[in-house]
């Protein structure tokens, strides 16, 4: 077990553009294992996690949804249906913050699996949302960047209040 601390807003690694994985070696395999262990280490269990969230700036995401755990390396997304849907999202890196985010509802995922094989998969609804959220992390984007300016300001305010309440409890 290698539980890694989940990085939260303010940590610069969350704002970096992650680099592609050149070779799927033991380092990448142990990174994925760490991500699998750490997905439960946040303030609540996550449905997905991106490598930067445990401090590693590499293009690797994991999805823990609908009873299955899967890792995707160098994931790329193509939007198949641009009609979007609003749905509430949260993020392990933004503890206790939730808001509705508009995202395209159908995407095509191209990625490598842990064994090096290529995968192409269509995803809709919740799965499409998780993939978009996690791939955003690899580009240094958070869900608060996907809402309008006013909502973002409100969320940031709410977040700083949550943080100071947390400090008072310590
Ligand atoms: Zn997230």
């Amino acid at each position: 077990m290698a539980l890694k601390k989940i990085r939260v807003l303010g940590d610069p690694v969350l704002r970096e553009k992650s680099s592609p994985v050149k070779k799927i070696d033991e380092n990448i395999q142990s990174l994925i294992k760490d991500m699998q262990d750490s997905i439960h280490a946040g303030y609540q269990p996550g449905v997905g996690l991106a490598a930067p969230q445990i401090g590693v700036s590499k293009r690797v995401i994991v999805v823990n949804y609908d009873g299955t755990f899967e890792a995707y390396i160098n994931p790329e997304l193509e939007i198949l249906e641009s009609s979007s849907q609003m749905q509430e999202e949260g993020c392990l890196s933004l503890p206790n913050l939730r808001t509705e985010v508009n995202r395209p509802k159908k995407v095509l995922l191209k990625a490598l699996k842990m064994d090096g094989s290529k995968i192409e998969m269509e995803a809709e609804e919740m799965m499409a949302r998780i993939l978009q959220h996690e791939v955003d992390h690899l580009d240094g984007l958070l869900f608060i960047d996907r809402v309008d300016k006013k909502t973002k300001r409100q969320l940031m305010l709410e977040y700083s209040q949550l943080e100071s309440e947390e400090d008072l409890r310590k």
Side-chain angles (χ1 to χ4, degrees):
M1 267 296 260
L3 273 188
K4 302 285 180 189
K5 199 174 134 239
I6 304 289
R7 306 301 178 93
V8 296
L9 186 67
D11 192 316
V13 72
L14 292 175
R15 292 313 201 170
E16 281 170 23
K17 194 169 165 67
S18 301
S19 35
V21 172
K22 292 200 184 81
K23 192 166 167 253
I24 304 171
D25 54 14
E26 312 85 74
N27 291 334
I28 296 300
Q29 274 154 5
S30 80
L31 167 66
I32 290 168
K33 186 75 185 63
D34 288 349
M35 290 168 78
Q36 184 168 19
D37 293 340
S38 306
I39 200 164
H40 305 290
Y43 74 105
Q44 64 171 37
V47 288
L49 193 71
Q53 292 182 278
I54 58 165
V56 180
S57 201
K58 288 206 178 343
R59 302 190 80 80
V60 179
I61 62 169
V62 298
V63 174
N64 182 37
Y65 179 63
D66 226 8
T68 48
F69 176 88
E70 201 65 71
Y72 301 111
I73 300 159
N74 298 339
E76 280 172 36
L77 294 179
E78 207 177 288
I79 293 163
L80 294 181
E81 242 179 69
S82 54
S83 71
S84 338
Q85 280 182 318
M86 280 293 254
Q87 203 179 313
E88 204 180 58
E89 271 181 45
C91 178
L92 293 178
S93 295
L94 295 158
N96 300 312
L97 214 60
R98 302 192 68 84
T99 196
E100 291 207 317
V101 183
N102 207 9
R103 296 195 189 266
K105 71 175 186 198
K106 194 170 176 186
V107 294
L108 176 70
L109 168 74
K110 290 182 188 174
L112 295 175
K113 299 231 280 185
M114 216 166 151
D115 61 6
S117 61
K118 280 185 188 166
I119 177 174
E120 264 196 46
M121 180 182 87
E122 285 185 14
E124 300 185 76
E125 312 281 335
M126 187 58 181
M127 187 61 185
R129 178 170 296 271
I130 297 169
L131 291 170
Q132 291 174 76
H133 177 118
E134 300 312 330
V135 171
D136 269 357
H137 274 299
L138 305 182
D139 295 322
L141 291 171
L142 301 168
F143 76 75
I144 49 171
D145 305 318
R146 294 284 185 197
V147 297
D148 62 82
K149 278 204 177 104
K150 189 166 162 258
T151 310
K152 183 173 177 174
R153 260 202 307 273
Q154 277 167 356
L155 287 167
M156 296 304 293
L157 186 65
E158 197 184 317
Y159 189 73
S160 61
Q161 282 162 351
L162 285 168
E163 260 192 331
S164 48
E165 278 170 34
E166 190 79 11
D167 288 341
L168 287 174
R169 277 201 291 272
K170 276 176 194 161

